[in-house]
Amino acid sequence: MDKKKGIPLEKIEKEAIRKDMDREKEEKREKEREEEDKYILEIEQEYEKRREEEKTVKQRILDYIVITLASVVYAVGVSQFIDPNNLAPGGVTGIAIILNRIVPMETGTLILIINIPIILLGMWKFGIRFIISTFYAIAATSLFTNLLAPFGAATDDLLLAALAGSVLIAVSMGIIFKRGATTGGTDIIIKCLRLRYPHLKMGMLFFLTDVGVVVASAFVFQDIDSALYAGIAVVVTSMMLDVVLYGRDEAKLIYVISDSSAKITDRLLEDLGIGVTHLNGQGAYSGKDKQVIMCVSKKTLAPRIEEIVREEDPDAFMIVTSATEIFGEGYKSYFSEKI
């Protein structure tokens, strides 16, 4: 008996053992999550590489058209909302905005110059094909930022500027990412970081790397209000980027009804390595037997699944819904999470 507290020593020992077991379980789950995220990242990279190699000339032209339009949106966010209101929401763009107040160079030009060594890093890590589209995106955003700068601020309200600018930047970045390129800067650095720390989400990585730039802007602009609003822009960009890239939820439940279910299943198993379940169904009108594909995936893989379905059967009937909780192999243990 612990006389000081009146608690039996046996009970204290049992509590200590229980805490140790809980900590070991949490460490095991964290390790499993890291391994799973690493596996998903490898699948994403391999899929992106194969997709780039299989693209036709028409598809590549479409990619560059979309990247160009997204670059205009990015430039609008920077030149009409962020830059003229002394907001430096992190990344190379934030650094360029800060330097623009120190050296007599346009913000777009500074974005391009700062990105040159980072592009060389990306070329070393990801290859020349990836960098070509990325360099085009950087050049386009830099050019349009300079061209739109003379029009001045669309609003002088710092809150509106932070919100509108960050949303435009996040949406454009997400679109460019989906086309196999980036807007350069910390995008490339973060892709390199994810090779080593795949369990970290891109939005969170952007948030962490942007904090230093926001703090620096407070000293350069001598305005704490601008820095705080820039911080708001960073948070909104981080959240919106994850939404654009992955959707709002952690997992997706997908049903596919198609006459090419065998081909789709093979692609899902071979290309993505995810589990697939076949459900037997029957068309109420036609009376024909149907094989329904059901699969659950992390939200990061959901866009890949949708793309495979479109490639194999553009007329497939597909239902994509959010899965709030998933228990079983590869996900959560029902007993460890609920008890």
Side-chain angles (χ1 to χ4, degrees):
M1 176 77 72
D2 186 333
K3 295 181 178 180
K4 185 176 180 180
K5 295 185 177 180
I7 302 174
L9 290 174
E10 184 180 351
K11 186 174 182 181
I12 295 175
E13 290 173 355
K14 286 183 178 180
E15 182 67 16
I17 293 172
R18 186 189 66 80
K19 288 182 179 179
D20 289 339
M21 291 177 64
D22 289 343
R23 184 171 62 253
E24 289 176 1
K25 287 180 181 179
E26 183 60 32
E27 290 174 354
K28 183 180 179 181
R29 284 198 296 267
E30 183 64 28
K31 186 177 181 180
E32 289 174 350
R33 283 193 290 265
E34 289 181 7
E35 291 175 352
E36 182 182 4
D37 288 334
K38 184 177 181 180
Y39 173 68
I40 290 175
L41 180 61
E42 289 173 353
I43 290 176
E44 287 179 335
Q45 292 176 335
E46 181 62 29
Y47 188 81
E48 287 178 3
K49 182 180 179 181
R50 185 164 57 250
R51 185 180 64 173
E52 284 296 315
E53 291 173 350
E54 295 174 353
K55 279 183 178 179
T56 64
V57 174
K58 183 178 179 180
Q59 289 172 327
R60 293 186 186 280
I61 292 174
L62 178 61
D63 280 348
Y64 281 99
I65 292 174
V66 173
I67 289 173
T68 302
L69 295 175
S71 297
V72 174
V73 175
Y74 187 98
V76 170
V78 174
S79 61
Q80 305 297 297
F81 295 97
I82 300 297
D83 191 6
N85 286 290
N86 288 337
L87 302 177
V92 166
T93 299
I95 295 172
I97 291 172
I98 293 173
L99 291 178
N100 174 257
R101 274 51 170 185
I102 301 172
V103 298
M105 295 184 70
E106 294 178 302
T107 300
T109 304
L110 288 167
I111 291 174
L112 182 61
I113 292 173
I114 297 171
N115 269 300
I116 291 176
I118 301 175
I119 290 172
L120 296 176
L121 171 65
M123 188 181 300
W124 173 49
K125 286 288 187 180
F126 305 108
I128 186 67
R129 181 170 293 179
F130 165 81
I131 289 303
I132 290 175
S133 56
T134 292
F135 181 77
Y136 176 81
I138 294 169
T141 54
S142 300
L143 174 63
F144 290 124
T145 298
N146 285 345
L147 291 176
L148 295 172
F151 290 96
T155 178
D156 294 327
D157 188 305
L158 290 180
L159 180 58
L160 291 178
L163 294 175
S166 57
V167 169
L168 290 173
I169 289 173
V171 170
S172 61
M173 287 172 64
I175 293 172
I176 291 173
F177 279 141
K178 286 186 174 182
R179 288 292 167 172
T182 78
T183 53
T186 51
D187 305 3
I188 296 176
I189 296 174
I190 285 170
K191 272 183 171 286
C192 293
L193 284 174
R194 287 199 77 209
L195 293 176
R196 185 172 180 82
Y197 306 105
H199 59 284
L200 297 176
K201 295 181 179 180
M202 295 191 76
M204 179 56 66
L205 286 171
F206 277 113
F207 176 77
L208 294 175
T209 56
D210 290 344
V211 169
V213 179
V214 172
V215 173
S217 71
F219 292 98
V220 174
F221 297 135
Q222 295 293 305
D223 187 352
I224 189 64
D225 288 345
S226 293
L228 291 174
Y229 281 113
I232 292 175
V234 168
V235 173
V236 174
T237 300
S238 172
M239 295 173 60
M240 280 298 300
L241 183 60
D242 277 340
V243 170
V244 173
L245 288 175
Y246 310 127
R248 295 179 60 186
D249 301 289
E250 290 296 327
K252 296 292 183 180
L253 172 61
I254 300 175
Y255 294 95
V256 181
I257 303 173
S258 168
D259 293 330
S260 302
S261 59
K263 293 181 179 179
I264 295 172
T265 298
D266 290 341
R267 288 284 303 279
L268 294 177
L269 292 173
E270 294 175 9
D271 293 4
L272 302 183
I274 62 174
V276 176
T277 299
H278 285 159
L279 306 177
N280 294 322
Q282 186 180 67
Y285 178 77
S286 64
K288 293 182 179 180
D289 291 333
K290 294 284 186 179
Q291 194 173 58
V292 181
I293 298 171
M294 183 187 77
C295 63
V296 177
S297 77
K298 296 291 186 180
K299 64 180 181 180
T300 52
L301 287 182
R304 311 300 184 207
I305 296 173
E306 295 173 17
E307 188 170 344
I308 287 174
V309 173
R310 283 196 298 268
E311 290 174 356
E312 295 298 334
D313 184 6
D315 297 322
F317 188 79
M318 180 166 53
I319 302 171
V320 181
T321 185
S322 300
T324 56
E325 287 188 297
I326 303 174
F327 299 96
E329 185 177 354
Y331 293 91
K332 295 188 292 186
S333 167
Y334 179 83
F335 295 101
S336 65
E337 296 290 339
K338 285 294 186 183
I339 295 178

